[in-house]
Amino acid sequence: MEQLHQEVRKALKQDQEGSNGRDGMDIAFCKVEKDKKILDYCGAHRPLFLVREGELLEYQGTRKGIGGAPLPRKKEKEFENHVIDYQEGDKIFIFSDGLPDQLGGPDRKKFQPRRMREALTMDASYTMAHYGRYFPKVFYEWMGEEKQVDDVLLIGIEL
């Protein structure tokens, strides 16, 4: 993650003295080691939700994006890697910021992670096919007539 961060800075010339370019991105990386039943996860401003037997475990991404000129006189955080022992049947979800940031509902409020947590834990028996049908329905009903504010991506994987 750190290597990608530095390479993006270099490509956008944000690593040069006096640069104030703030362009960057949020991202999540996952690596599954099936033989060890281990999931490596690292996020830049993006969390990972793990649903196990109807319970949701949340792993926060580092509060640092990929790219962007460093802030003067502020030490940058290091990206945190999470090593997660998973169980057969666990479901993981990563998503773009456009999902929780989408406006909608009766008061034009954001969808927010709270609604995502509720939707992902509504029924412990849901398969990925169920989520594939159910989650878009919940999201687009929330969105209503509002315009989409950003990219929207939800990736779900059953281990």
Side-chain angles (χ1 to χ4, degrees):
M1 188 75 86
E2 186 62 35
Q3 184 178 356
L4 175 63
H5 176 57
Q6 295 305 326
E7 292 296 325
V8 167
R9 276 189 171 162
K10 194 162 107 181
L12 298 177
K13 299 182 180 8
Q14 296 169 331
D15 60 344
Q16 297 175 358
E17 186 81 26
S19 173
N20 62 0
R22 300 300 310 152
D23 289 336
M25 65 181 158
D26 300 346
I27 194 168
F29 284 137
C30 293
K31 178 176 82 172
V32 178
E33 296 182 55
K34 288 182 183 179
D35 56 328
K36 297 178 184 174
K37 290 201 172 190
I38 290 176
L39 170 71
D40 282 318
Y41 159 72
C42 186
H45 286 296
R46 302 303 331 130
L48 176 135
F49 289 174
L50 183 146
V51 177
R52 175 178 291 157
E53 298 174 358
E55 295 293 318
L56 187 132
L57 304 169
E58 188 171 343
Y59 297 88
Q60 291 296 323
T62 304
R63 294 181 61 100
K64 172 181 172 178
I66 298 294
L71 295 171
R73 296 181 299 276
K74 186 171 182 184
K75 186 178 183 320
E76 268 195 325
K77 295 179 180 185
E78 292 186 23
F79 288 106
E80 183 180 359
N81 189 54
H82 299 270
V83 179
I84 304 162
D85 293 319
Y86 73 84
Q87 298 173 10
E88 194 167 319
D90 284 355
K91 298 170 182 75
I92 60 169
F93 299 89
I94 54 177
F95 49 92
S96 65
D97 60 347
L99 200 52
D101 289 349
Q102 178 60 50
L103 297 175
D107 300 321
R108 284 193 81 232
K109 292 188 176 180
K110 291 183 178 185
F111 190 70
Q112 298 191 354
R114 176 182 57 82
R115 285 185 186 81
M116 295 180 62
R117 288 183 199 99
E118 289 170 2
L120 294 174
T121 57
M122 181 166 275
D123 188 333
S125 69
Y126 272 6
T127 63
M128 280 300 170
H130 282 102
Y131 284 117
R133 289 187 302 274
Y134 169 74
F135 201 89
K137 182 178 185 286
V138 169
F139 179 76
Y140 287 114
E141 283 176 3
W142 172 260
M143 191 169 139
E145 298 298 315
E146 295 292 329
K147 291 189 178 188
Q148 189 171 318
V149 296
D150 200 354
D151 61 294
V152 174
L153 176 68
L154 173 66
I155 297 173
I157 300 170
E158 184 170 355
L159 301 165

